[in-house]
């Protein structure tokens, strides 16, 4: 594949080192930021309200399965195209995958708007009616943010396939720090749970800076765009990574569904306590999973190269 920096894309010692180093740093900074922010959030909004937020995040985790499936397939196809020296194939994979994710994001948004109120009423049986209205609006906002993030992940999937996720990792580190500052500041200003949503929005925007720079430097000819996709293409993006989606689903039920059950049967406070413990465990597991994205793209690329 022709790019502006041929020596720094694909699977080689330099790119793998960049990805692993930035991924490890991102994991460490994320854990430290959580240790800094969490006590201030618990003090500012109390444990029960934080549990409400953690429970809403568990509902959204279901939508993230789309990213783990389609996003993985985009990266695999880009890596395969790079192994064949096929820039058009990489561009086609990104546009097709992004189009599929736009459709999923639109469906997710519409569904979220319609089911937000019933879901809140079902899960938060111990919460007052007034708070349920606020939680419904928060859930719709979180769904909208997830939908936008899905589309972005599809477009930036080419960097995953080219082993240049270091761009996103470094801007992700900055976004974590900025997000922590916005969260603490918003809590101090009395925004409550809205401070967490505002921080997530700003964090997403900041995290996109690195991938945008990476796209311009590495593959300046690949622009954001959509294309016409057939049912076969859609099924290809959804069906091929089915094993990964199933594995992600099992992890989802292990770490997220429990919070929904706790919030419904015990209350949001129990969900908050579960979230605090699970967050530490998931941070440790994230370190172990760092090499997986590198191996995925590298295997697809080298298979075609050889």
């Amino acid at each position: 594949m022709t790019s502006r920096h041929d020596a720094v894309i694909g699977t080689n010692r330099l790119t793998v080192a960049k990805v692993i180093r930035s991924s490890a740093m991102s994991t460490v900074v994320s854990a430290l930021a959580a240790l800094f922010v969490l006590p201030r959030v618990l003090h500012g909004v109390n444990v029960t309200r934080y549990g409400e937020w953690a429970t809403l995040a568990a509902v959204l985790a279901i939508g993230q399965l789309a990213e783990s499936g389609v996003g993985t397939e985009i990266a695999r196809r880009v890596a395969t195209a790079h192994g064949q020296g096929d820039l058009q194939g990489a561009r086609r994979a990104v546009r097709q995958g992004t189009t599929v994710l736009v459709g999923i994001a639109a469906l997710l948004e519409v569904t979220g708007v319609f089911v937000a109120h019933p879901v809140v009423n079902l899960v938060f049986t111990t919460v007052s009616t007034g708070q349920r209205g606020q939680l419904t609006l928060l859930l719709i906002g979180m769904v909208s943010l997830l939908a936008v993030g899905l589309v972005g992940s599809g477009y930036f999937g080419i960097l995953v396939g080219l082993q240049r996720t270091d761009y996103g990792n470094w801007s992700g580190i900055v976004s974590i720090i900025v997000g922590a500052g916005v969260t603490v500041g918003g809590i101090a200003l009395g925004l409550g749970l809205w401070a967490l949503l505002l921080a997530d929005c700003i964090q997403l925007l900041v995290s996109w800076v690195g991938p945008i720079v990476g796209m311009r430097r590495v593959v300046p000819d690949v622009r954001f765009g959509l294309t016409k996709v057939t049912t076969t293409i859609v099924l290809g993006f959804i069906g091929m990574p089915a094993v990964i989606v199933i594995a992600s689903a099992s992890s989802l039920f292990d770490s997220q569904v429990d919070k929904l059950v706790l919030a419904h049967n015990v209350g949001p406070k129990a969900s908050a306590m579960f979230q605090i413990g699970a967050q530490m465990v998931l941070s440790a597991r994230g370190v172990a999973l760092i090499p997986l994205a590198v191996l995925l793209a590298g295997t697809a690329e080298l298979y075609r190269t050889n």
Side-chain angles (χ1 to χ4, degrees), residues 7-299:
V8 290
I9 64 172
T11 305
N12 55 64
R13 182 177 299 178
L14 179 60
T15 57
V16 171
K18 285 177 178 288
V19 170
I20 292 180
R21 183 167 55 245
S22 59
S23 297
M25 182 62 69
S26 177
T27 302
V28 171
V29 172
S30 179
L32 292 177
L35 291 175
F36 171 77
V37 171
L38 187 57
R40 289 158 178 81
V41 172
L42 296 178
H43 177 74
V45 300
N46 72 53
V47 177
T48 300
R49 298 238 65 195
Y50 176 71
E52 295 168 359
W53 172 267
T55 305
L56 292 178
V59 175
L60 287 186
I62 299 173
Q64 294 173 350
L65 292 177
E67 182 176 358
S68 65
V70 179
T72 299
E73 182 62 12
I74 292 174
R76 188 192 68 80
R77 294 190 183 195
V78 168
T80 299
H82 176 60
Q84 297 173 327
D86 182 11
L87 177 60
Q88 292 300 323
R91 182 185 290 113
R92 182 169 57 253
V94 172
R95 290 201 169 185
Q96 289 177 345
T98 302
T99 302
V100 172
L101 282 174
V102 166
I104 294 175
L107 179 62
L108 184 65
E109 178 68 20
V110 173
T111 303
V113 171
F114 280 100
V115 307
H117 186 64
V119 167
V120 168
N121 285 337
L122 175 65
V123 175
F124 297 101
T125 56
T126 61
V127 174
S128 66
T129 304
Q131 287 185 344
R132 289 182 193 178
Q134 184 186 54
L135 292 175
T136 298
L137 294 177
L138 275 170
L139 181 56
I140 293 175
M142 294 168 73
V143 169
S144 301
L145 187 63
L146 174 61
V148 174
L150 284 177
V151 177
S153 71
Y155 175 54
F156 299 133
I158 190 170
L159 294 177
V160 181
L162 296 178
Q163 301 285 26
R164 292 312 310 266
T165 54
D166 55 299
Y167 282 104
N169 290 337
W170 288 119
S171 66
I173 291 172
V174 176
S175 74
I176 291 171
I177 298 173
V178 172
V182 173
T183 299
V184 174
I187 293 295
L189 292 174
L191 296 180
L193 295 183
W194 292 104
L196 302 181
L197 181 61
L198 176 62
D200 281 352
C201 292
I202 295 176
Q203 189 170 330
L204 177 64
L205 293 176
V206 175
S207 69
W208 279 359
V209 173
I212 291 174
V213 172
M215 295 289 289
R216 291 181 177 179
R217 289 183 178 180
V218 177
V219 280
D221 295 332
V222 178
R223 303 293 183 182
F224 179 84
L226 305 178
T227 186
K228 187 176 182 179
V229 293
T230 64
T231 303
T232 302
I233 292 175
V234 173
L235 292 177
F237 275 95
I238 296 176
M240 286 295 290
V243 175
I244 295 177
V245 173
I246 293 173
S248 299
S250 65
S251 176
L252 167 70
F253 278 87
D254 181 45
S255 61
Q256 302 296 330
V257 175
D258 288 345
K259 289 189 290 185
L260 299 178
V261 176
L262 287 171
H264 176 75
N265 293 290
V266 182
K269 188 173 183 178
S271 178
M273 301 308 295
F274 179 87
Q275 169 68 11
I276 294 171
Q279 188 171 351
M280 298 298 102
V281 175
L282 292 176
S283 296
R285 188 173 67 179
V287 176
L289 296 178
I290 287 174
L292 288 185
V294 175
L295 292 173
L296 171 70
T299 300

